[in-house]
Amino acid sequence: MAVSRRRFVASALAGSALAAVSTTDLLASPAHAASPPGDVVGKVTVGYQGWFSCPGDSAPIGGWWHWSRDRFQPPSPANTTIVSWPDMREYTRSYPTAYPSLGNGSPATLFSSYDQQTVDTHFRWMQEYGCDTAALQRFNPTGDEGPTRDAMTQKVRSAAERYGRKFYIMYDVTDWLSFQTDIKTDWTTKMSAHTASGAYARQNGKPVVCIWGFGFSEPSRPFTPGPCLEVINWFKAQGCYVIGGVPTWWRQGIEDSRPGFLDVYHAFHAISPWMVYRARTVEELDSYYANVNVGDMADCAARGIDYLPCVMPGDLAGGHRRHGDFYWRHIYNMVRLGSQGLYVSMFDEYNEGNQIAKTSETQATTPAGASIRALDEDGVACSSDYYLRITADGGRMLKGQLALTAVRPTPPTVGTPPPTSGDLAAGRSTSASSQNGPFVASNAVDSDAGSYWESGGGSFPHWWQVDLGASQQVNRLVVRLPAGWGARTQTITVQGSVDGNSFSTIAGASAFAFDPATGNTVTRTLTTTTARHIRLSIAGNTGWPAGQLAKVEVYASSGTTDNPPTAPSGLTSTGRTASSVSLAWTASTDDKGVTGYQVRQGGTVVTTVTGTIATVSGLAASTPYTFTVVARDAAGNTSTASNAVTVTTDAAANSDLARGRSTSESSHVQSYGSGNVVDGDANSYWESANNAFPQWVQVDLGATRTVGRVVLKLPPSSAWATRTQTIAVTGSTDGGSFGTLVGSAGRTFDPSTGNQVTLTFSAAQTRYVRITVTGNTGWPAGQLAALEVYAS
C-alpha cells in the first residue's frame, strides 16, 4: 500500500525559508498562458483517489482498503486511517463498520470506490459543481493493489464519459524504486488505451499525463535527476502533455526539494507545486503567495511552462478551514496571480481531512465519541456540499465568469435558517463597498476577535453588510473593534433588506463610540424589523480614514424567525427533447406562503417559476443533466433542495447516438481500445485480440433509445485493403440480456466506397448495442474504426 504523500511537511513557517520574509499582500500582473484553454489550462482539476474498498464489493485487493490500518479488520476508532466522515446520504450501497453508531443513532456505514455507483455519484457532483477534470491517482501498480487500480481506471473512465467530465492519469512515484522501467510498461500496455476515450483529457491536442514526486527530498523518493528527466522526455516522445507534481520549493531547490533538479522541473509542459500542509492560516497563504508563488509564476512564464498550482480546502481535522475562508483565500490568491489552471487537492481524501466531497455536517451524522470533526467544527454550520460550492465559485472566477473578489461568494449553508437565539451573523456571507488588502469583509463575522474589516481608500461613506441566510425579526446589534485599539468614534447608519437590493433605514446615522475601557464594544437596541440583509453604512471615523469593523453581531427576539419553506419533493422528469427537459414536483409548504421555485443545475439557477412544473431549454443534445428545485417565500428564504434527478437529452434529429458514449469490449491489443469506435476520429480503431474469435465491442447509449440503423466503418485509407468481416448486431436494455437486431453475415468493407457498411433493421428499444465479429478475411481479429447508431 502506498505511503501517504500528504503527511510530509518540509517545515512550519518558524525556521523555514519563509520565516524572515515579509507577508506584504502583493498584487501580480496578470499572466499570459503558455498554452490555450484545453482540458487543464483554464480549467479546475481535482485530485481523485478512488482508493476505498470494503469486503463484499468484489475488489481484487479485498478488505477495508484505505479505511483501516489493518484492512482485514473493520474500521473502528482504534483501527482507522480516516480523520473525516463522508456524508453517506447519496450512496445506494454502503457497508457496516465497527464504529459506534452516528450521533443520531443510525449505523455507521462507509462507501466503496469499487462500486460504480460511488464513482458515478462523485462524477455527478463534479458535473454539478464545475469540476472540469479529474486527475486519477496511480501509485506503483506492480504490487497487490495493481489489479484494483486497473479496474478503477475503467470505472472512472465510464463515469467521466457518462457525466461529461475529463480525466487523466496522475502517476505517484512514492516508494516506486523501479519506476523508470515500470512506468513506461504500464503506460504502453494498460493506461494509454484509455486515451481513446473522448473523456480522456487533452491539452494542446495531446493526452495529459502527470508525474507526481520527482525531486522531493523525502527518503521515499530517493531519485536522481537523470532517470527522472529520461522518463519525462520519454512521455513527451509518446506525444503526451506532461505535468509535474513538484515540491513547493522546486525553484530554489531547498526545504522539500532536492538540489540539482531544476532541469527536470523545466522539462515539464506544466508545473503544479505541492501545497498540502504547507500553510495552516490565511496569513501563511498570503506569505507563500508573495514569496513563492509570484516568483514561480514568473519563472514559468519566462519558459513557456503552464502554471497549475495546487489549492486546498485545509485540513478539517487540524482546524485549518475557517468555514471556507482558508480555501477561498487560496483560490483567490492563485487566480489573481494569473495561474493557468487550478489543481484541487483533493476530491475524496477523507484520510487526511482535505477532501471537498460531501462531508458530515454535524456530530449527528458522525460516529458518536469517535473524535472525528464534522464541518461545523468551529461553531459555524456548513452544508455537506459547502466546499464543492466554493470550488464552483472558484472555477467561475478562474474563467472570468465571476469578478475577482477576495470575499467568499457562497455562504456556509443554503436554505437553512440560523438559530433563533445567539449571534445570527456568525459565519454568514458578507460583502462590502471596498476593502484594504487582506482586511476582508468576512473578518467581521469570523471567530477571531483580532481580525477586522477595513474599507479601501477614498472618501466616505463606506458600507459593510451581512446576509443572515433567512429573514429575521432583528432587534439588537453589537459592534466591536479589537480590544487593544485606541478610542475612536464612527458614524454609522443601520439598514435592512429582505432581498439584498432594496434597503430601508433601521437606525439613522449616529455616533458609535468605541472605548478600550469598555472593550471597544457598542450595543444598539433596534426597532424590531424584518430583514435578511443587514448593512452598516459608515460616514466617518475619528481614528482612521476608513470604515473599520472587527465583529458585527446581530440578534433577534426568541421565536421570531421567519422559517424557510419545506423542500420540494418528488422531482421527476415528465419529458425531454434534444434541447430541453420538462420537470414536475410536489409543492412546498411555508408559514407565510411559497412565492416561487428555482430550478437549479448544480449551483446555477436555470429557470424560476411560480408553479410546480418547469421546462429547461437551451440544452445540448445527448447530454446528461442533473437538476434540483428549491422553494422561496416572500421574505426571500430558500428551502433545502429537492431530490436530484438526472436526465439525458435526446439526440439531435438523425444524429449519431453513440458518439462519445461509454464503450466496452471482449478484448483489445496495444492502444486499439473500444473507445476509438466512438471518438469521431476516422483513423483510430478498435482491434480485438488476434486469433481468438468470437470478439465483440459495444456502446452504452446512456439511456434506452429507439434504434433502427448502425453504420460500421474502417479507416478510409487505401492501405486498408478490402476485407469481409462476419458480423452480428445485438441489443439490450439492461446490459445483460441481448436480442438479435441483425443476424450474423459477411459484411464487406471496400476502400473504394469509404470502407463502411450500413445495416438497417426494424426499430427497437435498446440502450446497449453490441457488434459481434466471428471472422475477418483481412486480419485474424475484429476491427472497427467507427460504430455509429441512429434512430432510423
Side-chain angles (χ1 to χ4, degrees), residues 358-444:
K358 295 185 182 183
T359 298
S360 174
E361 298 167 342
T362 70
Q363 289 301 311
T365 51
T366 306
S371 300
I372 294 178
R373 294 193 183 199
L375 288 181
D376 66 348
E377 50 87 22
D378 67 351
V380 177
C382 302
S383 54
S384 68
D385 70 342
Y386 179 39
Y387 289 88
L388 291 168
R389 286 188 282 115
I390 293 176
T391 304
D393 286 339
R396 287 192 285 269
M397 189 165 68
L398 172 72
K399 298 166 188 174
Q401 300 163 356
L402 176 72
L404 181 68
T405 175
V407 179
R408 169 174 42 80
T410 192
T413 59
V414 173
T416 301
T420 58
S421 61
D423 178 15
L424 305 175
R428 289 289 170 180
S429 179
T430 58
S431 56
S433 56
S434 61
Q435 69 182 47
N436 179 19
F439 307 117
V440 298
S442 58
N443 287 349

Side-chain angles (χ1 to χ4, degrees), residues 454-465:
E454 182 173 294
S455 68
S459 59
F460 288 101
H462 302 288
W463 59 262
W464 174 97
Q465 75 182 47

